[in-house]
Amino acid sequence: MGRTATIFLAAMLFVPLAHAASSTDHLNVFNNMAQETVECAAYFGIMSVALENSNDTEGAKKYKEVMLNALKRAAMVTEKAGLKPETVHARFQIVADDMMKRIDKNTSNVSILMTHYKEPCIEVMTDVEKRGRYWMERGLKRFEDGLPR
């Protein structure tokens, strides 16, 4: 087979693969971002309760506000992912229950959650573009890792 035919064949095989990846990748990016935002909403909600329990009503109020904003954002991103709106509530319940188990239903143990969620959740709420790039790059890496070598 000549060089031109080989290049043409490679291009014809790659284009459908690239198209298949790109048509679902954006949905996966939105789905991952929605899940992450819901996780952060649950984290902020638990932090709000922890601050309330320690008599920091102002801090609790701020965290509750951030939780509500995260839930609104999660609802928008969930819609972009093509998922049902009820997904947000279901995911929130699952994640919040899991987090409460991790801290043994004792908000004095909230530092366990802080070590895992504090930094990424601040980024989720303050730098959406960066989180979007993170999920796109992660999806691209998974796609590339699945290609035959």
Side-chain angles (χ1 to χ4, degrees), residues 10 16-17 21 24 28 31 39 46 52-54 56 59 68 76 81 97 116 127 136-137 140 145:
L17 284 174
T24 58
N28 289 331
N31 184 36
E39 288 174 7
I46 291 170
E52 198 171 285
N53 289 345
S54 67
D56 181 354
L68 294 174
M76 289 187 295
D97 289 348
H116 182 76
D127 199 344
M136 285 172 47
E137 289 168 6
L140 181 60
D145 289 347

Side-chain angles (χ1 to χ4, degrees), residues 1 4 11 15 23 37 39 44 51 72 78 105 124:
M1 188 180 295
T4 305
V15 169
S23 66
T37 307
E39 288 174 7
F44 294 134
L51 290 169
K72 287 177 190 173
T78 295
K105 296 183 180 180
V124 162

Side-chain angles (χ1 to χ4, degrees), residues 77-127:
V77 179
T78 295
E79 182 181 328
K80 293 282 187 191
L83 302 172
K84 295 176 88 171
E86 302 90 64
T87 304
V88 174
H89 177 72
R91 286 178 169 181
F92 182 86
Q93 200 62 53
I94 291 166
V95 171
D97 289 348
D98 180 61
M99 287 181 183
M100 289 303 291
K101 285 178 191 169
R102 287 177 62 192
I103 63 171
D104 204 22
K105 296 183 180 180
N106 182 346
T107 57
S108 294
N109 292 322
V110 79
S111 58
I112 294 168
L113 300 178
M114 290 174 73
T115 60
H116 182 76
Y117 293 99
K118 183 180 179 181
E119 296 296 322
C121 287
I122 289 171
E123 189 172 277
V124 162
M125 296 306 293
T126 59
D127 199 344

Side-chain angles (χ1 to χ4, degrees), residues 62-76:
K62 288 177 184 176
Y63 268 94
K64 187 172 184 174
E65 250 177 62
V66 176
M67 176 196 74
L68 294 174
N69 287 335
L71 286 171
K72 287 177 190 173
R73 184 176 296 168
M76 289 187 295

